[in-house]
Amino acid sequence: MENSANATRPTAAPMVLRLRRALLWVPLASVVVLAVWYIAAAAMFDGPNGGVAGPVMAVAGVFLLLAAATALGYLLRPLRIDVDDDAFTVRLPTWLAGRIDWDEVNAVTAVAVRTDRRVRRFLVVDLRSPALPYGSRPRSMYRRLAPVLGRAKGTHGLCFEEQLFDFDAAQVLAVVRPFAPAEVAVEDRTAEPADSHWQF
């Protein structure tokens, strides 16, 4: 995986995966929580138990800051997918663009998962080796979804959720297909939902 793209190659229009409108409150709420933490932490440090509670609040603040930065990133610098003849590139809101050569891609698939009466759709990219940070949403979601889709334990990939991001997985396939090599399977399997008892 590389962190730059070759601008001289023909590329498709960038596919920007913005948060769905119903989720726009999450980044804003994270800022409010961080502000409340700041006020509480200041009071803790100045209080009689500041020597103990202060460091604990400081550690908690680091995690809150990371969560708020990530959430705000999805609002201000949305996740983006670019494809060209050489690579499939994913730009995370708070990370450099991860350029994945087509040689590292096994398949790009639109899938559906049924939980009770609810069906959710995903864009799944199966990879030969890891890409993007371990804790990133696309990579962690793939780990959760892989067993449901029958992927072998330890396989690598990325997963993009329609329930979080405002995009159509099947339409992304139409953009990817002209650039993907013949050995990379590009399939729409949303007509055959996989059954799962997990809530995604």
Side-chain angles (χ1 to χ4, degrees):
M1 185 177 74
E2 301 173 8
N3 285 330
S4 62
N6 188 341
T8 64
R9 294 283 185 176
T11 61
M15 293 167 280
V16 178
L17 279 58
R18 301 183 187 280
L19 285 176
R20 290 199 173 275
R21 190 178 298 275
L23 296 174
L24 292 180
W25 63 271
V26 175
L28 302 178
S30 68
V31 175
V32 173
V33 171
L34 191 61
V36 171
W37 166 86
Y38 180 80
I39 296 171
M44 285 285 187
F45 275 106
D46 292 337
N49 298 317
V52 177
V56 174
M57 288 293 288
V59 172
V62 172
F63 291 101
L64 286 175
L65 181 60
L66 290 174
T70 300
L72 275 177
Y74 280 106
L75 179 64
L76 303 176
R77 188 176 183 260
L79 190 152
R80 193 180 81 185
I81 296 174
D82 296 279
V83 291
D84 58 33
D85 287 335
D86 293 328
F88 182 99
T89 302
V90 179
R91 189 196 72 181
L92 295 174
T94 55
W95 197 259
L96 297 175
R99 186 171 183 268
I100 307 164
D101 291 339
W102 284 117
D103 290 343
E104 294 294 321
V105 180
N106 284 324
V108 182
T109 314
V111 302
V113 175
R114 180 189 294 112
T115 304
D116 296 327
R117 297 181 180 179
R118 190 168 187 176
V119 177
R120 293 189 171 98
R121 305 201 314 171
F122 305 83
L123 178 73
V124 176
V125 183
D126 293 294
L127 303 173
R128 292 185 172 89
S129 60
L132 302 185
Y134 184 83
S136 64
R137 182 70 187 187
R139 190 170 167 188
S140 61
M141 191 62 206
Y142 182 90
R143 291 195 299 272
R144 292 180 58 196
L145 194 63
V148 177
L149 301 178
R151 305 300 196 265
K153 186 177 180 180
T155 55
H156 306 290
L158 306 173
C159 178
F160 306 91
E161 309 150 78
E162 283 191 6
Q163 66 178 353
L164 294 186
F165 304 109
D166 191 8
F167 78 108
D168 186 302
Q171 290 181 3
V172 172
L173 296 185
V175 177
V176 170
R177 190 172 282 112
F179 296 92
E183 57 270 21
V184 176
V186 181
E187 300 177 290
D188 184 350
R189 295 184 178 176
T190 54
E192 303 173 357
D195 291 313
S196 173
H197 63 281
W198 292 102
Q199 294 286 343
F200 292 100

